[in-house]
Amino acid sequence: MSFFNVSNGRSSDWKNYEKIVLRLFFIYFILQAVPLDWKFYSHLFSTDVLHLNFYGLFSLSKYAPRFFGITGFGNWLVVAAIATAGTLVWQFVQKKEPDYDALHYWLRVILRYRLAIGIIAYGLIKLFPLQMPYPSLSNLHTNYGDFFAWKIYFHTIGITQGYETFLGFVEILAGVLLFFRQTTTFGTGIILGFTGNVLAANFAYDAGEQVYSAYLVFIALFLFVYDLPRLYNLLVQQQYTIANKFVPVFNNKNLKRSRVALRAAFVLFVVLLGFSTYANYTSEPYKIPRTAGLKGSYGYYNVKEFKLNGEIIPYSVTDTNRWQNVVFEKWATISIKIARPIKPDSDTGEGYYVNDIDRNFESAGVGGRSYFAYTPDTVAKTIVLKNKNKNHAEETFNLTYNQLNDSTIILKGVNEKKDSVYAELNRITRKYMLFEGRRKPVKL
């Protein structure tokens, strides 16, 4: 491939220190952006194409190398050490210097597409509000102080689904701009502002994506710096500035065909990810349990009467056995308010799981309530409750249920300790400003 500068008609000159820096960044970013880990390809080729779920594609878009079991920013240090050693070796073993314009071009191409696929993937799970679901009814009956900081942040975005969709659109737009050399600076500028804010929020709220969001910001910064001097001259110095356009010229037809084929493969991947993300949103949001809840049970219930081993326990906000209230979700989750110490699940609820018991977004990062997945048997009128919190996984209830009317449910059975349990639940019809709307009259 020959490569030339349109503005002056000749290949640009590189200073010695610039060559060293470029070689360092080339090795560093190739290790960071190009999947060289065998586990990536093992995951790729083990994917069932006929039963493809969106999270498998989404996971591929989040590739990052991991060395010696190290997680977090430690991997960056390992990559930096390898890149430094590689730069030194390169200096001594090279017989002929490469075309640094071509090297720089290909590095920018790789990073443009790597950044685009990463930012579009996250844009899609916001465009179709999957990343930050609407708060569950149980979450609405949880004290503010019982939420982890990240859960508050997610709920703040999740209650405004339209805004979350808009944020996704912005990310996708920025990713699309990276497809073209002429609009790369606009795309990276949006990403630096948008994802830079996300990075700050991830650190402030301990949202669990600090490393990956920093990785995307770092790539965007590297790409943006290319046009920074010209932007400074134009916007700050207010001087006449000519865009420095580079145009690749491919003399090798096979190389040109390969470039077109790779671009087509990339677009196909993005299209598949888009369709699979939409399908997951419309039919089976990955953070919400799949099984439908007990028919006619959805709502908030006061526990009118509670018995443990046949003994009536009066209502109490301090008794560690007495149920105070119960929430039946639209899906197969029951949450119970009990004055019992809870060790919250520190997970962020991310990940795709087949079993409802493992879909823990609703219960992760929150205390104050115990969340149970349940399996209803509508013939035998029984339900088995299993605590979704991995720190209290031993807690279970084997219960029978009786829906006396549209507002009363009787539960009775035994817990994991073989204690007998009886609870009479009375549904309370409540108005929620989130549901009713703040800008229209509400009849209480």
Side-chain angles (χ1 to χ4, degrees):
M1 185 198 82
S2 62
F3 187 78
F4 61 90
N5 188 321
V6 173
S7 63
N8 55 28
R10 63 181 177 81
S11 179
S12 57
D13 296 324
W14 287 78
K15 298 180 178 65
N16 286 331
Y17 77 88
E18 291 176 334
K19 295 176 181 178
I20 294 173
V21 171
L22 179 59
R23 290 197 294 262
L24 176 67
F25 276 115
F26 186 85
I27 297 173
Y28 178 84
F29 279 121
I30 290 298
L31 291 175
Q32 283 275 43
V34 179
L36 302 175
D37 190 342
W38 67 268
K39 293 188 291 295
F40 173 87
Y41 295 98
S42 175
H43 174 69
L44 176 63
F45 293 114
S46 65
T47 302
D48 186 351
V49 177
L50 297 178
H51 300 87
L52 195 64
N53 69 70
F54 101 96
Y55 202 81
L57 295 173
F58 181 75
S59 298
L60 292 176
S61 75
K62 288 181 61 178
Y63 167 79
R66 180 177 296 184
F67 299 90
F68 315 116
I70 297 175
T71 58
F73 288 105
N75 290 293
W76 292 31
L77 296 176
V78 175
V79 174
I82 295 173
T84 302
T87 302
L88 293 174
V89 172
W90 189 340
Q91 178 71 21
F92 291 106
V93 302
Q94 68 176 2
K95 296 181 180 179
K96 180 182 178 181
E97 283 198 323
D99 181 343
Y100 286 98
D101 284 334
L103 202 65
H104 186 216
Y105 167 79
W106 282 115
L107 177 59
R108 285 179 58 82
V109 169
I110 291 170
L111 293 183
R112 278 169 45 209
Y113 279 84
R114 174 63 190 94
L115 181 58
I117 200 168
I119 207 73
I120 288 174
Y122 266 94
L124 286 169
I125 62 173
K126 291 186 182 73
L127 182 69
F128 309 115
L130 289 168
Q131 184 181 14
M132 302 171 187
Y134 202 87
S136 67
L137 187 60
S138 297
N139 291 155
L140 297 181
H141 286 279
T142 300
N143 294 329
Y144 188 85
D146 285 327
F147 290 115
F148 279 25
W150 73 262
K151 200 62 174 282
I152 294 173
Y153 174 59
F154 272 51
H155 282 339
T156 302
I157 303 297
I159 62 174
T160 52
Q161 299 279 279
Y163 179 61
E164 184 176 352
T165 295
F166 170 74
L167 295 178
F169 171 78
V170 172
E171 286 187 297
I172 293 171
L173 174 63
V176 171
L177 291 174
L178 294 174
F179 288 173
F180 311 99
R181 291 189 308 276
Q182 297 88 340
T183 55
T184 295
T185 302
F186 295 103
T188 53
I190 294 173
I191 292 169
L192 287 174
F194 184 96
T195 310
N197 180 66
V198 171
L199 174 61
N202 283 337
F203 275 106
Y205 290 93
D206 193 22
E209 291 289 349
Q210 294 91 319
V211 176
Y212 187 65
S213 56
Y215 168 65
L216 296 179
V217 169
F218 189 27
I219 294 177
L221 183 62
F222 179 84
L223 293 171
F224 186 78
V225 164
Y226 174 73
D227 272 325
L228 189 59
R230 285 179 286 280
L231 290 173
Y232 177 79
N233 286 336
L234 178 65
L235 301 177
V236 180
Q237 299 291 89
Q238 296 185 359
Q239 296 178 354
Y240 179 72
T241 306
I242 299 176
N244 194 353
K245 299 180 180 179
F246 289 93
V247 178
V249 178
F250 297 94
N251 295 323
N252 188 313
K253 292 183 178 180
N254 290 330
L255 182 60
K256 188 174 183 178
R257 293 192 188 99
S258 299
R259 177 172 173 264
V260 173
L262 289 174
R263 177 175 290 183
F266 178 85
V267 172
L268 177 61
F269 179 86
V270 171
V271 171
L272 285 175
L273 180 59
F275 275 110
S276 60
T277 304
Y278 174 74
N280 185 266
Y281 170 69
T282 55
S283 62
E284 184 200 322
Y286 73 102
K287 289 187 176 182
I288 304 300
R290 305 167 68 184
T291 307
L294 190 62
K295 186 176 181 180
S297 66
Y298 174 68
Y300 171 77
Y301 294 78
N302 177 53
V303 181
K304 181 180 180 181
E305 183 177 338
F306 183 82
K307 298 179 184 178
L308 183 66
N309 291 325
E311 180 182 350
I312 296 177
I313 301 179
Y315 181 84
S316 171
V317 295
T318 58
D319 191 286
T320 57
N321 292 311
R322 217 281 187 184
W323 296 7
Q324 297 175 32
N325 57 69
V326 175
V327 171
F328 279 76
E329 299 289 356
K330 293 179 180 179
W331 49 86
T333 296
I334 292 175
S335 71
I336 305 174
K337 173 69 174 177
I338 312 174
R340 181 183 303 166
I342 296 175
K343 183 179 180 181
D345 185 351
S346 59
D347 192 31
T348 58
E350 192 59 57
Y352 178 86
Y353 302 101
V354 175
N355 298 321
D356 288 348
I357 190 73
D358 299 317
R359 297 190 175 195
N360 64 335
F361 176 80
E362 57 185 335
S363 59
V366 59
R369 302 187 72 86
S370 296
Y371 289 75
F372 297 86
Y374 68 91
T375 306
D377 185 334
T378 56
V379 176
K381 300 289 184 181
T382 62
I383 55 175
V384 178
L385 309 184
K386 296 183 179 180
N387 199 313
K388 301 188 71 169
N389 188 332
K390 60 186 178 183
N391 299 311
H392 301 280
E394 76 286 347
E395 188 174 12
T396 59
F397 291 91
N398 287 275
L399 306 171
T400 60
Y401 69 89
N402 185 11
Q403 295 174 289
L404 299 182
N405 49 54
D406 60 359
S407 61
T408 304
I409 299 177
I410 302 295
L411 298 177
K412 57 183 178 180
V414 296
N415 62 16
E416 77 283 356
K417 299 176 182 178
K418 303 302 180 183
D419 295 322
S420 65
V421 175
Y422 173 92
E424 180 182 337
L425 313 180
N426 292 134
R427 177 158 42 197
I428 299 177
T429 301
R430 301 191 61 174
K431 298 289 186 178
Y432 301 89
M433 295 302 292
L434 283 177
F435 299 159
E436 301 294 328
R438 295 185 177 90
R439 295 180 176 85
K440 60 184 180 181
V442 177
K443 294 183 180 180
L444 299 179

